Amino acid sequence: MAILILLAIGIFLPLFPLSMLLTAFFKYVPWTWLRALILLAWPQIGLTIAFSAHTQLPRWAVGWGLLTAALYALRMLSLRDFSTWISFIAASAFALLWIGLVNASSETILRLQGLGFSASFIIAAAVVPMLKSRLGAAYSGLHCGMAQRLPRLAGVLVLAVLAAIATPLFPSFFALIAVLSEASFMAALGVLIVWLLWSWAGARLLQGFLPGVWSRTQTPPDLSLRTAWLAGLGLVTLAGAATVLTSMGLTGGW
């Protein structure tokens, strides 16, 4: 029974190779709203199973979670499809929740960490249909030069990627700081390496969208000023919510 519980948790707090269920499911879901729901609910289901089972989790699960996070972060360096990139960083981040879970952090703090990661990835997922409707695909390197031809969309894309890779003031940043506060010295080094790989992967992804020479004969319409303002307002709201959560004790002060 303990093995079955561990496997069930390993699906929703992804441990490789069980993590492939998340990435495959995310890939074949066509609707943005359902992708957002998956990103929001996936780690919460894993935490619900873990705290309902009242089972002592093995210490080696922390190492397995770190290895999973690092493997997906490394794989992100060569990804060009933005949708797949989002599912991989989600699998990498959700695997880090094993650190607090094994170290017996409070359920509230762990759920807030999961929400912090999920909220940031939902921002990125919302940009995918904007890219597809204008470029035909959310594929890095397919059409370069967005910064000059579609500056508003390019700005929203940059903010979405910054949110995903745990840049300060976004929810994922505070979630990652909370993970670091729960980790041992060696585990914290592993988390920092994963964070560095996320940043590197984000830079490589944006490099295929923003600079360069526009290769299309026609330029699609940019985001409307209203849509750009709404997107910016949503990002500011999330950043503010993350700050509030931190002041309430996301990093361990409950």
Side-chain angles (χ1 to χ4, degrees):
M1 183 62 70
I3 293 296
L4 292 178
I5 292 172
L6 184 61
L7 289 175
I9 301 171
I11 291 173
F12 294 100
L13 301 182
L15 294 177
F16 186 82
L18 301 172
S19 51
M20 290 189 289
L21 293 174
L22 169 60
T23 56
F25 190 30
F26 191 88
K27 178 180 180 180
Y28 291 108
V29 168
W31 305 290
T32 303
W33 66 268
L34 187 52
R35 286 184 168 185
L37 183 60
I38 291 169
L39 291 171
L40 184 64
W42 203 269
Q44 302 302 324
I45 294 172
L47 292 172
T48 298
I49 296 171
F51 284 104
S52 299
H54 303 291
T55 301
Q56 182 66 37
L57 298 173
R59 298 292 305 177
W60 51 259
V62 171
W64 195 0
L66 277 171
L67 178 61
T68 300
L71 286 174
Y72 277 95
L74 279 170
R75 182 67 180 87
M76 285 165 58
L77 293 174
S78 60
L79 286 179
R80 301 174 69 185
D81 182 79
F82 193 27
S83 294
T84 306
W85 190 93
I86 294 168
S87 68
F88 274 42
I89 195 172
S92 181
F94 296 159
L96 295 178
L97 296 178
W98 280 96
I99 294 174
L101 190 61
V102 172
N103 290 331
S105 295
S106 77
E107 182 176 355
T108 302
I109 290 176
L110 282 171
R111 289 193 182 277
L112 286 174
Q113 289 174 25
L115 285 173
F117 284 130
S118 296
S120 300
F121 303 146
I122 288 171
I123 294 171
V127 177
V128 172
M130 300 179 189
L131 294 171
K132 288 185 175 179
S133 64
R134 289 163 176 80
L135 305 180
Y139 202 81
S140 176
L142 183 63
H143 299 293
C144 302
M146 275 182 55
Q148 291 77 30
R149 296 302 183 101
L150 302 170
R152 292 172 187 162
L153 179 58
V156 171
L157 173 63
V158 169
L159 289 175
V161 172
L162 290 177
I165 62 175
T167 304
L169 296 184
F170 288 107
S172 53
F173 168 76
F174 296 108
L176 194 67
I177 293 299
V179 170
L180 283 168
S181 70
E182 299 159 345
S184 65
F185 177 75
M186 293 304 297
L189 284 179
V191 173
L192 290 174
I193 291 172
V194 169
W195 193 6
L196 177 63
L197 291 172
W198 288 356
S199 301
W200 187 6
R204 287 178 61 86
L205 183 79
L206 291 175
Q207 191 175 21
F209 282 109
L210 304 184
V213 179
W214 187 254
S215 58
R216 301 181 63 170
T217 55
Q218 295 181 336
T219 301
D222 199 358
L223 291 179
S224 67
L225 187 59
R226 177 174 177 271
T227 302
W229 272 106
L230 286 174
L233 180 62
L235 290 168
V236 170
T237 301
L238 276 172
T243 304
V244 171
L245 288 177
T246 303
S247 64
M248 290 172 59
L250 180 58
T251 56
W254 285 88

